[in-house]
Amino acid sequence: MSGNVTRGLRRIIDTPKAPSALAAYSQGVLVRDTTLYIAGQIGLVPETRELISNNVQQQADQALKNFGEILKAADMDFGNVVKTTVLLAEINDFQLVNEIYAKYFDSSNAPARAAYAVDKLPKNALIEIEGIAER
C-alpha cells in the first residue's frame, strides 16, 4: 500500500521513495500528528530493494536518504529528529558512519543517539538507523 493511512490517533507513513517494509511493519508511524517513529532503515535502493553496495559509508548514506524520504512524507526533515539508534555489524565502523551521519544532522541541533554493534542485520546490511522525530 502506498500513501498515508490514518487510524485513530496514528497515521501510517508509507512512501515509494523509501524501500517498502521487508516484513510486517510500517516505514513510519505518526502519532497525534506530532511524534514520528521511523522504522530501521538499511542501505536498500528503493527501486531494487537491494543493498547499494558492501561499503558501510555508502550503506549509511542510502539508509539516511531513505530515512529522509520518510521524514518528507510526514512533512518533516532532519531538523525534527530528536533521537536515533544506529546498529552496526562492526563497531569499528563507527567513525566511518559518523562522517556520513554528520552530513545529515547539524551539530548544533543534533539528535540524541545510541550506537550498538549487533551480530547480524537484515539482508546482511552493515548498518541500520531508526529514529524518532517531533514537530
Side-chain angles (χ1 to χ4, degrees), residues 33-92:
D33 204 39
T34 58
T35 305
L36 176 64
Y37 297 90
I38 301 170
Q41 297 299 303
I42 60 177
L44 294 180
V45 176
E47 297 80 14
T48 65
R49 291 176 43 111
E50 296 297 328
L51 290 170
I52 191 163
S53 73
N54 288 325
N55 176 285
V56 71
Q57 286 188 309
Q58 289 177 351
Q59 285 189 27
D61 190 57
Q62 185 63 51
L64 285 162
K65 285 178 184 173
N66 297 339
F67 194 99
E69 291 297 340
I70 297 166
L71 286 166
K72 275 191 223 172
D75 297 318
M76 293 188 191
D77 60 34
F78 285 96
N80 293 103
V81 179
V82 295
K83 172 73 170 75
T84 62
T85 303
V86 178
L87 306 173
L88 298 163
E90 176 55 59
I91 199 66
N92 292 333

Tab-separated table of all heavy atoms in Angstrom, residues 33-92:
chain	number	residue	atom	x	y	z
A	33	ASP	N	-0.175	13.489	15.240
A	33	ASP	CA	0.346	14.475	14.290
A	33	ASP	C	1.548	15.241	14.849
A	33	ASP	O	1.842	16.350	14.416
A	33	ASP	CB	-0.747	15.445	13.835
A	33	ASP	CG	-0.410	16.057	12.487
A	33	ASP	OD1	0.119	15.343	11.622
A	33	ASP	OD2	-0.649	17.272	12.315
A	34	THR	N	2.241	14.648	15.836
A	34	THR	CA	3.400	15.332	16.418
A	34	THR	C	4.651	14.461	16.483
A	34	THR	O	5.751	14.952	16.260
A	34	THR	CB	3.102	15.842	17.848
A	34	THR	OG1	2.731	14.738	18.662
A	34	THR	CG2	2.006	16.884	17.869
A	35	THR	N	4.509	13.187	16.809
A	35	THR	CA	5.662	12.323	17.012
A	35	THR	C	5.715	11.262	15.918
A	35	THR	O	4.755	10.510	15.732
A	35	THR	CB	5.601	11.639	18.390
A	35	THR	OG1	5.479	12.633	19.400
A	35	THR	CG2	6.855	10.816	18.651
A	36	LEU	N	6.840	11.214	15.215
A	36	LEU	CA	7.035	10.242	14.140
A	36	LEU	C	8.050	9.200	14.576
A	36	LEU	O	9.178	9.547	14.952
A	36	LEU	CB	7.526	10.942	12.867
A	36	LEU	CG	7.873	10.041	11.681
A	36	LEU	CD1	6.637	9.291	11.180
A	36	LEU	CD2	8.498	10.868	10.568
A	37	TYR	N	7.658	7.947	14.532
A	37	TYR	CA	8.551	6.824	14.813
A	37	TYR	C	8.956	6.229	13.465
A	37	TYR	O	8.092	5.779	12.705
A	37	TYR	CB	7.841	5.774	15.676
A	37	TYR	CG	7.457	6.320	17.030
A	37	TYR	CD1	6.223	6.933	17.227
A	37	TYR	CD2	8.342	6.241	18.101
A	37	TYR	CE1	5.880	7.451	18.462
A	37	TYR	CE2	7.997	6.756	19.344
A	37	TYR	CZ	6.764	7.365	19.515
A	37	TYR	OH	6.426	7.887	20.743
A	38	ILE	N	10.246	6.248	13.169
A	38	ILE	CA	10.751	5.773	11.883
A	38	ILE	C	11.386	4.403	12.072
A	38	ILE	O	12.300	4.238	12.883
A	38	ILE	CB	11.765	6.766	11.290
A	38	ILE	CG1	11.090	8.122	11.098
A	38	ILE	CG2	12.338	6.244	9.972
A	38	ILE	CD1	12.052	9.229	10.748
A	39	ALA	N	10.899	3.438	11.302
A	39	ALA	CA	11.437	2.084	11.363
A	39	ALA	C	12.894	2.077	10.913
A	39	ALA	O	13.339	2.950	10.163
A	39	ALA	CB	10.611	1.163	10.468
A	40	GLY	N	13.632	1.094	11.364
A	40	GLY	CA	15.031	0.964	10.992
A	40	GLY	C	15.212	0.931	9.486
A	40	GLY	O	14.524	0.187	8.790
A	41	GLN	N	16.141	1.752	9.013
A	41	GLN	CA	16.438	1.836	7.585
A	41	GLN	C	17.831	1.287	7.323
A	41	GLN	O	18.780	1.641	8.025
A	41	GLN	CB	16.355	3.289	7.099
A	41	GLN	CG	14.974	3.894	7.236
A	41	GLN	CD	13.948	3.124	6.422
A	41	GLN	OE1	14.088	2.969	5.218
A	41	GLN	NE2	12.926	2.624	7.098
A	42	ILE	N	17.922	0.406	6.334
A	42	ILE	CA	19.218	-0.084	5.898
A	42	ILE	C	19.492	0.496	4.514
A	42	ILE	O	18.645	1.185	3.950
A	42	ILE	CB	19.288	-1.634	5.922
A	42	ILE	CG1	18.246	-2.261	5.004
A	42	ILE	CG2	19.133	-2.142	7.357
A	42	ILE	CD1	18.326	-3.787	4.924
A	43	GLY	N	20.637	0.228	3.966
A	43	GLY	CA	21.051	0.852	2.712
A	43	GLY	C	20.454	0.249	1.465
A	43	GLY	O	21.153	-0.002	0.480
A	44	LEU	N	19.142	0.014	1.478
A	44	LEU	CA	18.466	-0.530	0.308
A	44	LEU	C	18.134	0.562	-0.691
A	44	LEU	O	17.661	1.637	-0.308
A	44	LEU	CB	17.158	-1.228	0.696
A	44	LEU	CG	17.239	-2.490	1.541
A	44	LEU	CD1	15.835	-3.021	1.812
A	44	LEU	CD2	18.094	-3.550	0.860
A	45	VAL	N	18.328	0.264	-1.958
A	45	VAL	CA	17.881	1.151	-3.033
A	45	VAL	C	16.381	0.881	-3.196
A	45	VAL	O	15.983	-0.271	-3.393
A	45	VAL	CB	18.647	0.850	-4.344
A	45	VAL	CG1	18.115	1.685	-5.482
A	45	VAL	CG2	20.141	1.053	-4.139
A	46	PRO	N	15.535	1.914	-3.099
A	46	PRO	CA	14.081	1.686	-3.133
A	46	PRO	C	13.590	0.919	-4.366
A	46	PRO	O	12.726	0.053	-4.243
A	46	PRO	CB	13.492	3.100	-3.098
A	46	PRO	CG	14.538	3.913	-2.430
A	46	PRO	CD	15.849	3.315	-2.858
A	47	GLU	N	14.147	1.222	-5.517
A	47	GLU	CA	13.654	0.615	-6.755
A	47	GLU	C	14.007	-0.877	-6.869
A	47	GLU	O	13.259	-1.644	-7.467
A	47	GLU	CB	14.228	1.350	-7.978
A	47	GLU	CG	13.802	2.799	-8.091
A	47	GLU	CD	14.609	3.735	-7.192
A	47	GLU	OE1	15.670	3.342	-6.662
A	47	GLU	OE2	14.172	4.887	-7.024
A	48	THR	N	15.128	-1.273	-6.303
A	48	THR	CA	15.568	-2.669	-6.446
A	48	THR	C	15.410	-3.491	-5.175
A	48	THR	O	15.447	-4.714	-5.234
A	48	THR	CB	17.059	-2.732	-6.854
A	48	THR	OG1	17.852	-2.197	-5.789
A	48	THR	CG2	17.299	-1.969	-8.151
A	49	ARG	N	15.292	-2.797	-4.034
A	49	ARG	CA	15.242	-3.436	-2.716
A	49	ARG	C	16.493	-4.266	-2.445
A	49	ARG	O	16.474	-5.231	-1.698
A	49	ARG	CB	13.972	-4.258	-2.542
A	49	ARG	CG	12.728	-3.394	-2.465
A	49	ARG	CD	11.452	-4.179	-2.378
A	49	ARG	NE	11.515	-5.316	-1.477
A	49	ARG	CZ	10.869	-5.416	-0.328
A	49	ARG	NH1	10.101	-4.454	0.072
A	49	ARG	NH2	10.955	-6.503	0.417
A	50	GLU	N	17.597	-3.875	-3.062
A	50	GLU	CA	18.897	-4.498	-2.837
A	50	GLU	C	19.815	-3.485	-2.168
A	50	GLU	O	19.651	-2.270	-2.355
A	50	GLU	CB	19.520	-4.964	-4.168
A	50	GLU	CG	18.734	-6.050	-4.871
A	50	GLU	CD	18.642	-7.349	-4.084
A	50	GLU	OE1	19.598	-7.676	-3.347
A	50	GLU	OE2	17.606	-8.034	-4.199
A	51	LEU	N	20.802	-3.970	-1.416
A	51	LEU	CA	21.777	-3.077	-0.795
A	51	LEU	C	22.546	-2.322	-1.870
A	51	LEU	O	22.886	-2.887	-2.915
A	51	LEU	CB	22.741	-3.860	0.089
A	51	LEU	CG	22.142	-4.442	1.366
A	51	LEU	CD1	23.124	-5.392	2.021
A	51	LEU	CD2	21.716	-3.337	2.324
A	52	ILE	N	22.819	-1.065	-1.607
A	52	ILE	CA	23.517	-0.225	-2.575
A	52	ILE	C	24.922	-0.754	-2.888
A	52	ILE	O	25.395	-0.648	-4.015
A	52	ILE	CB	23.556	1.254	-2.120
A	52	ILE	CG1	24.036	2.134	-3.259
A	52	ILE	CG2	24.371	1.430	-0.845
A	52	ILE	CD1	23.735	3.593	-3.094
A	53	SER	N	25.594	-1.320	-1.883
A	53	SER	CA	26.940	-1.867	-2.051
A	53	SER	C	27.302	-2.630	-0.776
A	53	SER	O	26.486	-2.732	0.138
A	53	SER	CB	27.956	-0.749	-2.288
A	53	SER	OG	28.193	-0.038	-1.080
A	54	ASN	N	28.530	-3.078	-0.698
A	54	ASN	CA	29.043	-3.700	0.527
A	54	ASN	C	29.904	-2.733	1.319
A	54	ASN	O	30.662	-3.144	2.193
A	54	ASN	CB	29.844	-4.961	0.191
A	54	ASN	CG	28.948	-6.094	-0.260
A	54	ASN	OD1	27.837	-6.243	0.230
A	54	ASN	ND2	29.420	-6.879	-1.206
A	55	ASN	N	29.798	-1.446	1.041
A	55	ASN	CA	30.580	-0.397	1.688
A	55	ASN	C	29.730	0.250	2.781
A	55	ASN	O	28.622	0.713	2.508
A	55	ASN	CB	31.010	0.633	0.633
A	55	ASN	CG	31.749	1.798	1.221
A	55	ASN	OD1	31.138	2.676	1.842
A	55	ASN	ND2	33.053	1.831	1.021
A	56	VAL	N	30.234	0.318	4.006
A	56	VAL	CA	29.447	0.831	5.128
A	56	VAL	C	29.071	2.297	4.944
A	56	VAL	O	27.964	2.711	5.312
A	56	VAL	CB	30.155	0.584	6.482
A	56	VAL	CG1	31.375	1.468	6.649
A	56	VAL	CG2	29.177	0.761	7.639
A	57	GLN	N	29.951	3.111	4.360
A	57	GLN	CA	29.609	4.524	4.171
A	57	GLN	C	28.520	4.694	3.112
A	57	GLN	O	27.617	5.508	3.279
A	57	GLN	CB	30.846	5.344	3.826
A	57	GLN	CG	31.740	5.564	5.034
A	57	GLN	CD	32.865	6.527	4.753
A	57	GLN	OE1	33.597	6.386	3.779
A	57	GLN	NE2	33.018	7.502	5.628
A	58	GLN	N	28.580	3.925	2.047
A	58	GLN	CA	27.533	4.006	1.029
A	58	GLN	C	26.208	3.495	1.585
A	58	GLN	O	25.150	4.067	1.298
A	58	GLN	CB	27.950	3.231	-0.218
A	58	GLN	CG	29.069	3.901	-0.983
A	58	GLN	CD	29.531	3.091	-2.181
A	58	GLN	OE1	29.145	1.933	-2.368
A	58	GLN	NE2	30.377	3.700	-2.999
A	59	GLN	N	26.260	2.442	2.396
A	59	GLN	CA	25.035	1.950	3.023
A	59	GLN	C	24.470	2.977	4.001
A	59	GLN	O	23.250	3.187	4.057
A	59	GLN	CB	25.284	0.621	3.735
A	59	GLN	CG	25.406	-0.547	2.789
A	59	GLN	CD	25.432	-1.880	3.515
A	59	GLN	OE1	24.888	-2.030	4.617
A	59	GLN	NE2	26.050	-2.875	2.885
A	60	ALA	N	25.327	3.628	4.772
A	60	ALA	CA	24.864	4.650	5.720
A	60	ALA	C	24.207	5.804	4.972
A	60	ALA	O	23.140	6.283	5.371
A	60	ALA	CB	26.034	5.155	6.564
A	61	ASP	N	24.828	6.237	3.892
A	61	ASP	CA	24.279	7.336	3.101
A	61	ASP	C	22.910	6.957	2.533
A	61	ASP	O	21.959	7.731	2.626
A	61	ASP	CB	25.247	7.707	1.981
A	61	ASP	CG	24.842	8.979	1.276
A	61	ASP	OD1	24.709	10.025	1.954
A	61	ASP	OD2	24.656	8.931	0.051
A	62	GLN	N	22.783	5.755	1.983
A	62	GLN	CA	21.499	5.316	1.420
A	62	GLN	C	20.453	5.157	2.522
A	62	GLN	O	19.299	5.548	2.347
A	62	GLN	CB	21.659	4.012	0.646
A	62	GLN	CG	20.386	3.564	-0.068
A	62	GLN	CD	19.945	4.539	-1.134
A	62	GLN	OE1	20.730	4.939	-1.983
A	62	GLN	NE2	18.685	4.945	-1.087
A	63	ALA	N	20.841	4.607	3.666
A	63	ALA	CA	19.902	4.454	4.781
A	63	ALA	C	19.372	5.820	5.217
A	63	ALA	O	18.175	5.984	5.475
A	63	ALA	CB	20.570	3.740	5.952
A	64	LEU	N	20.250	6.816	5.270
A	64	LEU	CA	19.822	8.157	5.678
A	64	LEU	C	19.000	8.839	4.589
A	64	LEU	O	18.089	9.618	4.895
A	64	LEU	CB	21.027	8.992	6.090
A	64	LEU	CG	21.576	8.583	7.465
A	64	LEU	CD1	22.993	9.095	7.669
A	64	LEU	CD2	20.658	9.063	8.583
A	65	LYS	N	19.262	8.563	3.331
A	65	LYS	CA	18.390	9.075	2.254
A	65	LYS	C	16.984	8.495	2.420
A	65	LYS	O	15.982	9.220	2.317
A	65	LYS	CB	18.940	8.707	0.876
A	65	LYS	CG	20.130	9.529	0.457
A	65	LYS	CD	20.659	9.064	-0.899
A	65	LYS	CE	21.909	9.833	-1.273
A	65	LYS	NZ	22.546	9.296	-2.488
A	66	ASN	N	16.906	7.191	2.675
A	66	ASN	CA	15.605	6.542	2.892
A	66	ASN	C	14.902	7.139	4.109
A	66	ASN	O	13.702	7.432	4.073
A	66	ASN	CB	15.789	5.034	3.083
A	66	ASN	CG	16.375	4.351	1.862
A	66	ASN	OD1	16.314	4.857	0.741
A	66	ASN	ND2	16.971	3.189	2.070
A	67	PHE	N	15.650	7.328	5.174
A	67	PHE	CA	15.151	7.947	6.414
A	67	PHE	C	14.563	9.319	6.086
A	67	PHE	O	13.469	9.670	6.530
A	67	PHE	CB	16.345	8.060	7.365
A	67	PHE	CG	16.042	8.353	8.797
A	67	PHE	CD1	16.007	7.342	9.732
A	67	PHE	CD2	15.864	9.661	9.239
A	67	PHE	CE1	15.784	7.611	11.080
A	67	PHE	CE2	15.644	9.948	10.566
A	67	PHE	CZ	15.589	8.922	11.498
A	68	GLY	N	15.292	10.099	5.283
A	68	GLY	CA	14.850	11.439	4.906
A	68	GLY	C	13.567	11.440	4.092
A	68	GLY	O	12.726	12.326	4.236
A	69	GLU	N	13.401	10.443	3.241
A	69	GLU	CA	12.172	10.354	2.441
A	69	GLU	C	10.963	10.072	3.326
A	69	GLU	O	9.869	10.573	3.067
A	69	GLU	CB	12.303	9.296	1.353
A	69	GLU	CG	13.278	9.670	0.253
A	69	GLU	CD	12.885	10.906	-0.551
A	69	GLU	OE1	11.696	11.296	-0.553
A	69	GLU	OE2	13.791	11.495	-1.185
A	70	ILE	N	11.150	9.293	4.361
A	70	ILE	CA	10.056	9.031	5.307
A	70	ILE	C	9.731	10.298	6.083
A	70	ILE	O	8.561	10.635	6.278
A	70	ILE	CB	10.415	7.842	6.226
A	70	ILE	CG1	10.580	6.576	5.387
A	70	ILE	CG2	9.359	7.653	7.317
A	70	ILE	CD1	11.252	5.429	6.099
A	71	LEU	N	10.761	11.032	6.489
A	71	LEU	CA	10.528	12.326	7.137
A	71	LEU	C	9.719	13.249	6.227
A	71	LEU	O	8.742	13.867	6.656
A	71	LEU	CB	11.859	12.998	7.491
A	71	LEU	CG	12.643	12.436	8.672
A	71	LEU	CD1	14.068	12.971	8.662
A	71	LEU	CD2	11.939	12.765	9.985
A	72	LYS	N	10.121	13.344	4.963
A	72	LYS	CA	9.417	14.208	4.000
A	72	LYS	C	7.956	13.805	3.847
A	72	LYS	O	7.082	14.658	3.748
A	72	LYS	CB	10.086	14.130	2.622
A	72	LYS	CG	11.244	15.053	2.438
A	72	LYS	CD	11.637	15.068	0.957
A	72	LYS	CE	13.131	15.005	0.834
A	72	LYS	NZ	13.588	14.828	-0.544
A	73	ALA	N	7.710	12.499	3.803
A	73	ALA	CA	6.337	12.006	3.654
A	73	ALA	C	5.462	12.417	4.831
A	73	ALA	O	4.239	12.474	4.716
A	73	ALA	CB	6.332	10.488	3.482
A	74	ALA	N	6.080	12.723	5.963
A	74	ALA	CA	5.356	13.181	7.155
A	74	ALA	C	5.474	14.700	7.315
A	74	ALA	O	5.173	15.234	8.381
A	74	ALA	CB	5.895	12.479	8.395
A	75	ASP	N	5.934	15.378	6.256
A	75	ASP	CA	6.135	16.839	6.291
A	75	ASP	C	7.111	17.263	7.381
A	75	ASP	O	6.889	18.241	8.096
A	75	ASP	CB	4.798	17.580	6.448
A	75	ASP	CG	3.877	17.329	5.275
A	75	ASP	OD1	4.360	17.343	4.122
A	75	ASP	OD2	2.668	17.106	5.504
A	76	MET	N	8.201	16.507	7.507
A	76	MET	CA	9.268	16.824	8.457
A	76	MET	C	10.602	16.766	7.725
A	76	MET	O	10.658	16.420	6.545
A	76	MET	CB	9.273	15.832	9.624
A	76	MET	CG	8.069	15.904	10.529
A	76	MET	SD	8.330	14.844	11.980
A	76	MET	CE	6.717	14.832	12.702
A	77	ASP	N	11.666	17.112	8.452
A	77	ASP	CA	13.015	16.995	7.901
A	77	ASP	C	13.970	16.581	9.016
A	77	ASP	O	13.542	16.345	10.152
A	77	ASP	CB	13.458	18.282	7.196
A	77	ASP	CG	13.492	19.493	8.105
A	77	ASP	OD1	13.813	19.355	9.315
A	77	ASP	OD2	13.226	20.602	7.616
A	78	PHE	N	15.256	16.511	8.694
A	78	PHE	CA	16.235	16.041	9.683
A	78	PHE	C	16.296	16.933	10.925
A	78	PHE	O	16.672	16.477	11.993
A	78	PHE	CB	17.618	15.886	9.043
A	78	PHE	CG	17.728	14.665	8.173
A	78	PHE	CD1	17.542	14.744	6.800
A	78	PHE	CD2	17.999	13.429	8.733
A	78	PHE	CE1	17.627	13.611	6.007
A	78	PHE	CE2	18.084	12.284	7.949
A	78	PHE	CZ	17.895	12.371	6.577
A	79	GLY	N	15.900	18.187	10.802
A	79	GLY	CA	15.868	19.088	11.946
A	79	GLY	C	14.819	18.707	12.985
A	79	GLY	O	14.885	19.153	14.133
A	80	ASN	N	13.856	17.873	12.595
A	80	ASN	CA	12.814	17.419	13.518
A	80	ASN	C	13.224	16.183	14.322
A	80	ASN	O	12.551	15.801	15.276
A	80	ASN	CB	11.528	17.074	12.754
A	80	ASN	CG	10.871	18.272	12.131
A	80	ASN	OD1	10.984	18.483	10.934
A	80	ASN	ND2	10.202	19.074	12.941
A	81	VAL	N	14.317	15.540	13.937
A	81	VAL	CA	14.712	14.284	14.578
A	81	VAL	C	15.276	14.567	15.969
A	81	VAL	O	16.163	15.399	16.140
A	81	VAL	CB	15.739	13.519	13.711
A	81	VAL	CG1	16.170	12.230	14.398
A	81	VAL	CG2	15.153	13.236	12.334
A	82	VAL	N	14.737	13.863	16.967
A	82	VAL	CA	15.172	14.066	18.355
A	82	VAL	C	15.977	12.887	18.908
A	82	VAL	O	16.689	13.032	19.896
A	82	VAL	CB	13.981	14.365	19.297
A	82	VAL	CG1	13.324	15.684	18.919
A	82	VAL	CG2	12.971	13.233	19.307
A	83	LYS	N	15.877	11.715	18.265
A	83	LYS	CA	16.582	10.524	18.766
A	83	LYS	C	16.808	9.559	17.622
A	83	LYS	O	15.916	9.344	16.802
A	83	LYS	CB	15.734	9.839	19.849
A	83	LYS	CG	16.231	8.482	20.334
A	83	LYS	CD	17.449	8.595	21.207
A	83	LYS	CE	17.830	7.309	21.914
A	83	LYS	NZ	18.461	6.296	21.108
A	84	THR	N	18.007	9.014	17.550
A	84	THR	CA	18.293	7.941	16.604
A	84	THR	C	18.985	6.791	17.330
A	84	THR	O	19.610	6.991	18.376
A	84	THR	CB	19.198	8.392	15.434
A	84	THR	OG1	20.460	8.813	15.946
A	84	THR	CG2	18.559	9.505	14.621
A	85	THR	N	18.858	5.624	16.744
A	85	THR	CA	19.610	4.458	17.177
A	85	THR	C	20.312	3.917	15.942
A	85	THR	O	19.680	3.703	14.910
A	85	THR	CB	18.695	3.378	17.781
A	85	THR	OG1	17.966	3.953	18.868
A	85	THR	CG2	19.498	2.187	18.285
A	86	VAL	N	21.618	3.730	16.056
A	86	VAL	CA	22.437	3.227	14.958
A	86	VAL	C	22.910	1.828	15.333
A	86	VAL	O	23.527	1.637	16.384
A	86	VAL	CB	23.648	4.150	14.697
A	86	VAL	CG1	24.522	3.601	13.580
A	86	VAL	CG2	23.185	5.571	14.385
A	87	LEU	N	22.605	0.870	14.483
A	87	LEU	CA	23.031	-0.504	14.681
A	87	LEU	C	24.115	-0.811	13.654
A	87	LEU	O	23.922	-0.580	12.458
A	87	LEU	CB	21.851	-1.459	14.508
A	87	LEU	CG	20.630	-1.151	15.381
A	87	LEU	CD1	19.462	-2.041	15.007
A	87	LEU	CD2	20.978	-1.293	16.841
A	88	LEU	N	25.233	-1.310	14.132
A	88	LEU	CA	26.376	-1.582	13.266
A	88	LEU	C	26.748	-3.060	13.307
A	88	LEU	O	26.778	-3.659	14.379
A	88	LEU	CB	27.594	-0.774	13.725
A	88	LEU	CG	27.459	0.747	13.675
A	88	LEU	CD1	28.528	1.403	14.529
A	88	LEU	CD2	27.555	1.203	12.241
A	89	ALA	N	27.053	-3.621	12.153
A	89	ALA	CA	27.538	-5.000	12.108
A	89	ALA	C	28.951	-5.077	12.683
A	89	ALA	O	29.358	-6.114	13.202
A	89	ALA	CB	27.516	-5.525	10.681
A	90	GLU	N	29.666	-3.951	12.633
A	90	GLU	CA	31.044	-3.898	13.131
A	90	GLU	C	31.258	-2.554	13.838
A	90	GLU	O	31.213	-1.506	13.192
A	90	GLU	CB	32.020	-4.056	11.962
A	90	GLU	CG	33.474	-3.917	12.319
A	90	GLU	CD	33.924	-4.851	13.432
A	90	GLU	OE1	33.802	-6.080	13.274
A	90	GLU	OE2	34.402	-4.330	14.466
A	91	ILE	N	31.477	-2.558	15.136
A	91	ILE	CA	31.626	-1.311	15.900
A	91	ILE	C	32.812	-0.483	15.416
A	91	ILE	O	32.820	0.741	15.542
A	91	ILE	CB	31.694	-1.584	17.425
A	91	ILE	CG1	31.391	-0.313	18.224
A	91	ILE	CG2	33.036	-2.180	17.812
A	91	ILE	CD1	29.991	0.197	18.094
A	92	ASN	N	33.801	-1.127	14.824
A	92	ASN	CA	34.949	-0.378	14.292
A	92	ASN	C	34.578	0.532	13.128
A	92	ASN	O	35.368	1.380	12.732
A	92	ASN	CB	36.074	-1.336	13.880
A	92	ASN	CG	36.695	-2.023	15.083
A	92	ASN	OD1	36.689	-1.487	16.192
A	92	ASN	ND2	37.198	-3.221	14.876
